[in-house]
Amino acid sequence: MAEAALTPEDILTAAEEVLRRYGPAKATVVDVARVLGVSHGTVYRHFPSKAALRGAVTRQWLDRAHAALPGIATGQEEPRERLRLWLAALFRAKQEKALADPELFATYQVLVDENSELIAEHVSGLEAQIAGMIVEGQEQGSFGPGDPEALGHVVFQATAHYHDPGYAEEWSRPGVNEEFEAVVGFILRGLGA
């Protein structure tokens, strides 16, 4: 690939390939550059450090995995239904990633652990989406009173078992989807007016 035509997206695609092939412990910027046919200095012109590159890969993965959530949060359904759909989409996205490619999912779990500030920012955005649905539900009378931001945090934490990568091994066990639906039903009843 010509160095002048190289884009950050090209580098991120190559980095993902390298991470899949070698795992997070052995993947290097030199490996990424080799896949692209450029010098490692060229990669560093786009990403100033290995940590910055790994952080960008993590952000891209999270953005891809959660791409449907903002649209659900602002959809046309009533807030209770949107919240149910949103939580289901979050669980389904994580479950599908973990079950379809467990090795890559494990790699991303390592990257997530390395990028605590990025993850905190991402989680804050997810909780804000929940809070927005709660505000609408409160305005329409389908959710009871309470601080929407605090309630958004509580809902996110209460469903952690179904989106926190630490629980990924449990997402394929029999009955997990029914258990998830029961938890969401319990949360929605608790938010009720």
Side-chain angles (χ1 to χ4, degrees), residues 1-8 10 46:
M1 171 168 289
E3 290 188 17
L6 187 66
T7 66
D10 296 330
H46 290 274

Side-chain angles (χ1 to χ4, degrees), residues 50-67:
K50 179 180 178 179
L53 177 58
R54 288 165 74 111
V57 169
T58 305
R59 180 180 301 278
Q60 178 178 319
W61 182 76
L62 290 169
D63 290 347
R64 254 192 334 239
H66 301 150

Side-chain angles (χ1 to χ4, degrees), residues 154-166:
V154 168
V155 169
F156 191 76
Q157 293 304 316
T159 57
H161 196 89
Y162 305 99
H163 56 77
D164 183 320

Side-chain angles (χ1 to χ4, degrees), residues 21-32:
R21 187 180 311 158
Y22 300 118
K26 295 183 180 179
T28 68
V29 174
V30 171
D31 294 325
V32 173

Side-chain angles (χ1 to χ4, degrees), residues 39-110:
S39 72
H40 65 281
T42 300
V43 174
Y44 283 124
R45 280 196 280 283
H46 290 274
F47 297 96
S49 67
K50 179 180 178 179
L53 177 58
R54 288 165 74 111
V57 169
T58 305
R59 180 180 301 278
Q60 178 178 319
W61 182 76
L62 290 169
D63 290 347
R64 254 192 334 239
H66 301 150
L69 298 179
I72 295 169
T74 59
Q76 297 300 311
E77 295 83 5
E78 63 94 15
R80 287 179 81 77
E81 180 62 11
R82 272 189 280 144
L83 182 54
R84 188 189 69 71
L85 292 170
W86 190 96
L87 291 168
L90 177 62
F91 177 40
R92 190 172 47 255
K94 295 289 182 88
Q95 189 181 42
E96 287 172 1
K97 294 278 185 196
L99 299 179
D101 196 343
E103 293 82 16
L104 188 59
F105 191 80
T107 294
Y108 280 113
Q109 190 169 351
V110 170

Side-chain angles (χ1 to χ4, degrees), residues 80 134 137-139 141-147 151 188-193:
R80 287 179 81 77
I134 290 172
Q138 289 171 332
E139 290 169 352
S142 58
F143 291 150
D147 176 6
L151 291 170
L188 292 173
R189 285 189 300 279
L191 288 170

